[in-house]
Amino acid sequence: MAAPALRCFSRGRWFGTPGPSGVLLLGPREAHSGAQGLLAMQKARGLFKEFFPETGTKIELPELFDRGTGNFPQTIYCGFDPTADSLHVGHLLALLGLFHFQRAGHNVIALVGGATARLGDPSGRTKEREALEPERVRSNARALRQGLESMVANHQQLFANGRTWGSFTVLDNAAWYQKQHLVDFLTAVGGHFRMGTLLSRQSVQTRLKSPEGMSLAEFLYQVLQAYDFYYLFKHYGCRVQLGGSDQLGNIVSGYEFIHKLTGEDVFGITVPLITSTTGAKLGKSAGNAVWLNREKTSPFELYQFFVRQQDDLVERYLKLFTFLPLPEIDHIMQLHVKEPEKRGPQKRLAAEVTKLVHGQEGLDSAKRCTQALYHSSIDALEVMSDQELRELFKEASFSELVLDPGTSVLDTCRKANAIPDGPRG
């Protein structure tokens, strides 16, 4: 796809306060209608955390999303490395961010890192990732693409209500790196990066000070992510990268690389990291991942993860993980104050997330399992599928028995050691 023609726009004005490292923290009252309808709203929900760069750019970020400036729609991307064969709850906020842009009419790209996953992102890590075999990465990448495409379909089918949205494209960066020759790539790209700047990144500094140090492969990760941004800018007109707050250094590298090569400005937006009650980042590395693939975490388990959220978190999670309007969330929380025992906010949160991830059928399955297990519903148990029964009782021990005709339920339970053998006392 050829790069679209670049347009020039007048300067706007930021309303916000400068944060660390040139990051602008937007306040709730941006000037542009586009920002008020999108950037400020997501800032108010807590979904958009930081905006980069600060003022002084040729195209101000709020103006970029303003329908009235002639530069609509924009293209936004976020990357997901296939270090496992499924995304997890820790990835959901970045996906929600892409969906919010898509709902506002912009075009979004989910970039599967089929190449970068082989290097391993050092951001937020104390030691190097275990190297993955190429075929394992390719298999994981296929699974991630399928998971993303399934969720995009759920979003369109269950939440669109006939509205016209922007496009959602899933790409794999292996498509352009497999065509690159090492020396040619280093010659064309490497000369635009300064070692002092790369070494100053917090993720690099943290690893250099650790006992294990940092490998060259990990060190070059930010270069490849920067090139990804440049490639999408050149071929898809992408001007905004979305990522977790631990990705800010990589986003800055992309901004600097594109600006040096083209003189144009691009932007970065971060979303907050979701952590456990102990403060650990949710994910595979921490061993606390709640997966979005049904084979790894069932709809019932995903539903229960959100149903079990504490009262002091549920309002924030409703704003982050759902598309519910803020006035509706306020109403839900007001009802919760009157009847906290009903756990209304938690149930609504769990229903909205499960529906997005697993579709209406997945939500119905989660509710059937909940009714059967926690409300002793025989009716729910009778209509459950074999898959649902396996998911519901997958942690339970089981026995395979060959039963003679006429064997009673009592004898069956005794043979399976479900109840004590012998007469009752």
Side-chain angles (χ1 to χ4, degrees), residues 120 122 195 198-199 204 214-223:
M195 286 296 298
L198 296 178
L199 287 167
V204 175
M214 188 179 201
S215 70
L216 176 62
E218 287 182 294
F219 180 71
L220 290 176
Y221 184 94
Q222 60 181 311
V223 174

Side-chain angles (χ1 to χ4, degrees), residues 13 92 94 100 107 124 130 178 186 198 242 267 289 344 359 395 421:
R13 181 184 174 192
L92 262 181
H100 278 292
N107 301 319
E130 182 179 348
Q178 64 187 4
L186 290 176
L198 296 178
L242 187 71
F267 300 88
E395 299 299 330
D421 199 1

Side-chain angles (χ1 to χ4, degrees), residues 128-148:
E128 189 171 4
R129 291 183 185 273
E130 182 179 348
L132 297 175
E133 293 296 325
E135 182 50 45
R136 175 71 178 278
V137 174
R138 286 192 289 269
S139 176
N140 289 349
R142 288 192 295 269
L144 254 61
R145 288 181 66 106
Q146 292 171 359
L148 285 164

Side-chain angles (χ1 to χ4, degrees), residues 10-275:
S10 62
R11 290 181 181 271
R13 181 184 174 192
W14 287 93
F15 286 76
T17 54
S21 304
V23 175
L24 190 72
L25 308 179
L26 287 182
R29 299 183 61 188
E30 283 78 7
H32 300 285
S33 61
Q36 185 61 42
L38 180 61
L39 299 183
M41 179 57 70
Q42 300 316 316
K43 181 68 177 177
R45 295 180 77 99
L47 183 59
F48 292 169
K49 184 178 179 182
E50 299 164 311
F51 299 79
F52 179 88
E54 203 184 320
T55 55
T57 56
K58 288 189 291 187
I59 304 174
E60 302 289 6
L61 187 58
E63 200 170 277
L64 200 65
F65 294 110
D66 191 341
R67 287 177 179 266
T69 57
N71 56 322
F72 193 92
Q74 286 297 314
T75 301
I76 302 93
Y77 100 94
C78 182
F80 304 91
D81 276 349
T83 54
D85 59 0
S86 171
L87 299 176
H88 53 73
V89 166
H91 294 114
L92 262 181
L93 290 192
L95 280 171
L96 264 293
L98 290 181
F99 284 140
H100 278 292
F101 278 115
Q102 183 191 16
R103 294 160 78 93
H106 300 285
N107 301 319
V108 298
I109 297 172
L111 182 63
V112 177
T116 44
R118 296 183 62 186
L119 298 185
D121 185 0
S123 302
R125 296 183 59 84
T126 58
K127 59 182 181 180
E128 189 171 4
R129 291 183 185 273
E130 182 179 348
L132 297 175
E133 293 296 325
E135 182 50 45
R136 175 71 178 278
V137 174
R138 286 192 289 269
S139 176
N140 289 349
R142 288 192 295 269
L144 254 61
R145 288 181 66 106
Q146 292 171 359
L148 285 164
E149 289 164 358
S150 175
M151 204 177 309
V152 170
N154 291 338
H155 180 226
Q156 181 69 39
Q157 179 183 358
L158 300 174
F159 295 90
N161 296 322
R163 288 169 292 185
T164 300
W165 291 344
S167 65
F168 195 115
T169 305
V170 181
L171 301 175
D172 188 332
N173 64 11
W176 50 87
Y177 283 113
Q178 64 187 4
K179 302 174 184 178
Q180 295 277 2
H181 295 285
L182 176 61
V183 175
D184 292 340
F185 179 80
L186 290 176
T187 301
V189 175
H192 297 281
F193 290 88
R194 303 270 70 84
M195 286 296 298
T197 303
L198 296 178
L199 287 167
S200 69
R201 304 289 186 228
Q202 182 177 355
S203 60
V204 175
Q205 285 294 311
T206 300
R207 290 299 304 281
L208 289 177
K209 295 175 182 177
S210 69
E212 290 195 8
M214 188 179 201
S215 70
L216 176 62
E218 287 182 294
F219 180 71
L220 290 176
Y221 184 94
Q222 60 181 311
V223 174
L224 267 65
Q225 185 165 325
Y227 184 79
D228 285 341
F229 199 174
Y230 169 73
Y231 185 93
L232 295 176
F233 169 80
K234 180 180 177 182
H235 293 276
Y236 293 85
C238 179
R239 288 184 174 275
V240 181
Q241 181 180 356
L242 187 71
S245 57
D246 59 346
Q247 292 296 306
L248 185 58
N250 293 331
I251 294 173
V252 172
S253 293
Y255 164 82
E256 293 172 344
F257 180 52
I258 293 171
H259 190 68
K260 282 183 179 180
L261 282 181
T262 69
E264 297 291 333
D265 287 305
V266 292
F267 300 88
I269 300 175
T270 67
V271 297
L273 299 179
I274 297 300
T275 59

